[in-house]
Amino acid sequence: MTHESTAVGLASAYSNATTASGDWWRDAVIYQVYVRSFADSDGDGIGDLRGVRSRLPHLARLGVDAVWLTPFYVSPQADGGYDVADYRAVDPLFGDLADADELVRAAHELGLRVIVDVVPNHTSEQHPWFRAALAGEPGARERYLFRRGRGADGSLPPNDWESIFGGPAWTRAADGDWYLHLFAPEQPDLDWTHPEVTAEFDSVLRFWLDLGVDGFRIDVAHGMVKADGLPDIGRGAQATLIGTEPLPFFDQDGVHEIHRAWRRLLDSYEGRRIGVAEAWAPSSERLALYVRPDELHQAFNFRFLTCPWDPEAMRTVIDESLSATTAVGAPTTWVLSNHDVVRHVTRYGGGAQGLARARAAALLMLALPGSAYLYQGEELGLPEVTDLPPESRQDPAFRRGRRPQIPLGAPTPGIIAPRDGEPPARAQAEPDTEPAPQAQGRTGPQAQACCGPQTDGAGPEPQLAPQAPATAQPQAEAGPAPQAQGRTGAEAQACCRPQAGGAGPAPQAQGNIGPEARGCCGPQADAGAGAAPDLLTAPEAEGQDGLRDGCRVPIPWDGPEPPYGFGPAGSWLPQPPAWAGLSVAAQTGDPHSTLELYRAALELRRAMPGLGAPGAGPSPDPCGMRWLPSPDGVLLFTRPGFACTLNTRPDPVELPAPGRPVLSSAPVETDGRTVRLPPDSCTWWAF
C-alpha cells in the first residue's frame, strides 16, 4: 500500500531530556525572520517589527522554538542593516523600541524565544565613533583599523587584503590614512584590542538582554581579531579561501577570549540566554572551538548547507560535524537556506526535482541530532526569484560588480575616496552598461542569487501515513523554468562568493558544490602576485555577484495576486505571479503541501523521544545515531525508536522496511515487509 502525509494528532509536549533540563537550544528549531521581507504593517512596502508580531501565530503553529530576527537597528541600510549606526535604537523603517519590546513579549506569550543579531566586527560609517574618527577627534581612530599606506607617498593600500564584496579591503580617507573594511566601505572594521570597543559591546548586549531577548546571533564571529601586523596573503580571489584555508583576517585564536567573556555575561542572566556564532573555519575541528563549554552555545554548520545532493558527501559532512561538536560537548546545527544564499529548491535543480529534493533534505535535516535553522519561506517551498529586473535589485554589491577597472588615484581633499572601484566623487566615472537599481525608501539589503532554473511551485505531493491501502498519486509537473536574469543554462546555476551579514558564503548549484566549494561566478582574477598595484581589480572577479535579492523577495501570505498579504501596499522587491499557490493560506490544510509537511515534521520531532537532541534516549552512540547498511544512493540511520531513509537516486529503490512509516516527503509503497522508496525522497519510520 502507499503511504502519504496526512494530518494526524500527535503529542505536542516535549519529551526530549534536554528540554526538561533547560538546555532548550540543544535541539531547538529556530526560524530566521528577514525583517524587511516578512510582513509590512504600515504600507511602505518594507517589513517591520509590528508586521513580524502580527504573524507570530504562524510560527507558533508551525512548531518552531525560537525566532531569529535580522538587524532592525538604526542604519543607513548600505548593507541591509548590517551597517549599524546605533546599536540601542530601532530604525524608524522598522518601528521603534516599544515595538521591539512588544514583539519580544508577544513571542514569549506564544512560547517562542527571540534571538537578535549583533554586528560586532564593524559599524556603519555613520556611527558616531567613525564620524569622530574622520573628523580627527583625538583617539577616535584607535577604535578602528586605520593605517598609513604603502609607497613613498602612502598611496597604496597597507596590505593586499580584499573585501568580501570585491575590490581592496581598504579605503583612503581625505588626510591620506587608510581604514580597513572586510566588507563594504560603509562598514569600517573595529579594533577589538581597544578596551572601549569591548566595554561598548558588553553594554549593548546587556541592553537587549535587559529588554528580554533570549540570545544573539553573532555576525562574523570569526572576524573580530586580525593577525598581528596585518600580513599580506600573497594571492587574490581571497573570498574563495574562506572556510578552506587559514586567513590572517578570519578565525584568529584571539576571538575566543571575546566569546568566553560573552558567555560569562550570558550566563549571568536567568533563562538560558544563548550565543550563536556565524563563523567560518577551515575545518570542523576549528569550528568546534567556538562551542567549547566556556564559549558560545551554537555555531552555524555551513558545510551541510554547501553539501551536494550526494549521499556519500552528506554522510561525510554529518559524521565529521557530529564528531567535532560531540568532542566538545556541544550540539551540531543544521541549515539549508538563509538570507545570503540561493534557496535550496533552486539550488537542488529547480522545478519538480528541486522541490522534491528540498522537501527530502528538510526531513533529513530535522531527523539529525542537534538544532535546526529554517529560513522564512522554506516551509512554503519557495524557489529563488532569478528574474528580478536590474532596477529592482538593491544588493550593495550589484552595482560594484559592474564597474570597470579604475586607476587608484590620490584622494581629492575633503572626500573619502575611492570606494571599491568607484572613482573619487569629483572624478568622471565611466557610464554603466546597465541601469542603476533605484532605491525604494532606505534600502540596500544584500542579495546573492546564483541562479539556476526556478520552479513555479509545482512538484511532488507527498507525506504522512494513512493505514488504508492507496495507489500512488502522479507527481505534478513543473512548468518551464524561467531563465536567470543575466545568466542562463548551466552558467545560471553557478554560485557566488561569501558575504557579510549573513550566514556565510553561498553554495554553488546542485551538482557543482562540495564542502570545499565556496562559490564563485566566473573566472577568478588573481589580485595578488602579478596584479598591477595601481589598479582596483574588477570586483566581479574577486567578490560576490550582488544577486542575493532573489532569496529576499517578501513571502506570500494569502490572496491571488501580489503582494499576497505581505502588507497594505506593494513590496520592496516584486513577487512572482506564480506565488499565489504557494502562500500560507493556499497551503494550509492541504495534506500534500510543503507547509503541512513541515508542520507534521516539527510536531513529530516534538513527540518522538528519539528525535532532537544529541544523546536523547538509550544508545551506545553519544549522538544517539547509528548508520545501517543500505543500497547505493540511499542513506539509512537509526535513533532510539526511529529510522530515517533518504533516497538520492532518480529512480525508486526497494529495501526491507525499517519500521512503520510515519512521515514521507513523497508517497511510499510498502507491504509492511519491504518498501519501495520514491526517487529524491526522505521517509521517517517508527519501530
Side-chain angles (χ1 to χ4, degrees):
M1 59 184 166
T2 300
H3 290 268
E4 56 182 313
S5 177
T6 58
V8 295
L10 300 170
S12 60
Y14 260 123
S15 53
N16 290 330
T18 55
T19 302
S21 70
D23 289 344
W24 62 271
W25 44 273
R26 297 188 71 90
D27 62 354
V29 177
I30 300 173
Y31 186 99
Q32 181 190 355
V33 167
Y34 190 69
V35 175
R36 68 166 52 234
S37 296
F38 195 65
D40 171 25
S41 71
D42 57 11
D44 65 356
I46 298 174
D48 48 49
L49 296 181
R50 290 187 181 184
V52 174
R53 189 183 65 184
S54 73
R55 296 295 187 178
L56 288 176
H58 165 69
L59 303 183
R61 181 175 179 184
L62 183 62
V64 301
D65 302 292
V67 181
W68 156 30
L69 302 172
T70 55
F72 49 78
Y73 314 114
V74 170
S75 166
Q77 302 295 316
D79 184 26
Y82 285 93
D83 51 316
V84 181
D86 187 341
Y87 289 87
R88 298 178 184 80
V90 174
D91 195 296
L93 191 67
F94 304 120
D96 55 29
L97 195 57
D99 292 323
D101 181 69
E102 291 170 5
L103 192 160
V104 172
R105 292 175 184 272
H108 288 169
E109 289 173 0
L110 291 170
L112 299 169
R113 292 176 169 88
V114 178
I115 296 169
V116 299
D117 254 303
V118 64
V119 187
N121 179 71
H122 47 261
T123 70
S124 165
E125 64 172 352
Q126 296 301 317
H127 191 282
W129 279 5
F130 194 70
R131 293 170 67 91
L134 292 184
E137 181 178 306
R141 291 195 175 187
E142 296 175 5
R143 301 169 180 141
Y144 294 89
L145 291 163
F146 278 84
R147 296 290 187 272
R148 298 299 298 175
R150 290 179 172 177
D153 58 355
S155 62
L156 299 178
N159 65 21
D160 67 357
W161 293 3
E162 296 173 358
S163 165
I164 305 305
F165 285 164
W170 297 90
T171 287
R172 198 176 191 190
D175 65 356
D177 280 357
W178 298 75
Y179 69 87
L180 179 69
H181 52 86
L182 291 180
F183 300 98
E186 296 88 351
Q187 296 167 291
D189 279 41
L190 288 161
D191 185 348
W192 270 85
T193 66
H194 197 292
E196 289 185 26
V197 175
T198 302
E200 170 66 2
F201 276 90
D202 282 354
S203 175
V204 167
L205 296 186
R206 290 187 183 281
F207 178 88
W208 292 104
L209 289 168
D210 290 342
L211 186 130
V213 304
D214 299 283
F216 301 93
R217 178 264 191 188
I218 302 166
D219 185 61
V220 197
H222 55 301
M224 297 141 72
V225 173
K226 281 69 175 177
D228 290 342
L230 309 182
D232 283 342
I233 294 172
R235 55 190 292 191
Q238 295 165 13
T240 62
L241 308 180
I242 297 171
T244 64
E245 297 184 22
L247 292 168
F249 51 72
F250 279 162
D251 192 40
Q252 296 295 301
D253 289 339
V255 300
H256 296 290
E257 187 52 45
I258 299 171
H259 298 321
R260 289 188 187 97
W262 284 7
R263 177 62 180 262
R264 292 191 294 270
L265 190 158
L266 290 166
D267 286 348
S268 71
Y269 281 77
E270 295 181 354
R272 293 292 192 177
R273 317 293 180 95
I274 71 168
V276 182
E278 184 227 358
W280 278 93
S283 67
S284 295
E285 290 73 21
R286 287 289 301 181
L287 183 64
L289 298 180
Y290 290 81
V291 289
R292 288 177 287 190
D294 63 343
E295 293 198 36
L296 301 175
H297 299 76
Q298 293 183 345
F300 286 130
N301 181 6
F302 297 122
R303 291 189 64 203
F304 185 71
L305 184 151
T306 60
C307 189
W309 187 252
D310 175 83
E312 292 306 315
M314 289 178 176
R315 178 168 175 170
T316 297
V317 167
I318 291 168
D319 284 345
E320 291 180 356
S321 300
L322 290 172
S323 175
T325 54
T326 299
V328 296
T332 301
T333 63
W334 313 101
V335 62
L336 290 168
S337 284
N338 61 49
H339 68 293
D340 279 334
V341 304
V342 178
R343 287 188 177 272
H344 56 282
V345 167
T346 299
R347 209 169 66 236
Y348 286 143
Q353 180 188 70
L355 183 58
R357 290 176 172 179
R359 290 161 61 96
L363 289 192
L364 172 65
M365 174 178 71
L366 293 171
L368 294 171
S371 178
Y373 280 77
L374 310 181
Y375 177 50
Q376 65 176 45
E378 76 170 77
E379 78 277 18
L380 305 178
L382 295 186
E384 188 83 0
V385 180
T386 60
D387 57 354
L388 290 170
E391 63 271 15
S392 296
R393 293 192 179 275
Q394 297 175 21
D395 183 341
F398 180 73
R399 294 277 291 153
R400 284 198 298 276
R402 285 152 179 78
R403 292 288 185 184
Q405 291 186 339
I406 303 294
L408 180 61
T412 303
I415 66 169
I416 298 177
R419 293 192 173 184
D420 272 9
E422 295 182 1
R426 297 175 194 171
Q428 183 69 34
E430 294 185 32
D432 294 309
T433 57
E434 299 188 38
Q438 297 180 3
Q440 178 178 352
R442 293 169 52 203
T443 58
Q446 314 164 92
Q448 163 167 353
C450 285
C451 309
Q454 173 180 333
T455 176
D456 62 0
E461 311 251 2
Q463 299 146 343
L464 207 112
Q467 298 303 311
T471 57
Q473 295 186 355
Q475 304 303 301
E477 294 295 329
Q483 294 181 341
Q485 184 272 329
R487 296 186 180 189
T488 58
E491 292 181 356
Q493 296 187 16
C495 184
C496 315
R497 292 273 203 305
Q499 48 263 288
Q508 297 183 8
Q510 184 277 329
N512 193 30
I513 61 173
E516 73 286 352
R518 290 297 175 255
C520 60
C521 306
Q524 302 307 310
D526 186 355
D534 59 343
L535 291 179
L536 298 182
T537 326
E540 70 270 22
E542 53 185 75
Q544 62 191 34
D545 262 4
L547 300 176
R548 287 169 296 161
D549 292 303
C551 64
R552 301 175 177 187
V553 174
I555 66 175
W557 292 96
D558 55 56
E561 59 186 23
Y564 303 120
F566 170 67
S571 59
W572 68 282
L573 287 172
Q575 300 158 300
W579 276 16
L582 298 179
S583 71
V584 173
Q587 296 195 46
T588 294
D590 177 359
H592 310 306
S593 70
T594 300
L595 175 58
E596 294 298 348
L597 176 68
Y598 270 75
R599 286 173 172 168
L602 292 178
E603 194 171 3
L604 275 170
R605 184 180 163 97
R606 287 176 179 265
M608 299 185 73
L611 289 180
S619 172
D621 188 303
C623 291
M625 176 178 164
R626 181 167 52 192
W627 295 104
L628 296 182
S630 58
D632 289 344
V634 175
L635 294 179
L636 169 59
F637 66 85
T638 62
R639 300 182 66 192
F642 170 86
C644 178
T645 54
L646 176 74
N647 180 17
T648 65
R649 291 164 49 166
D651 54 286
V653 176
E654 291 190 6
L655 70 160
R660 174 177 60 86
V662 293
L663 187 66
S664 180
S665 67
V668 172
E669 297 179 7
T670 180
D671 59 7
R673 296 184 300 276
T674 62
V675 60
R676 183 177 173 87
L677 298 176
D680 294 326
S681 69
C682 186
T683 304
W684 289 3
W685 308 81
F687 58 85

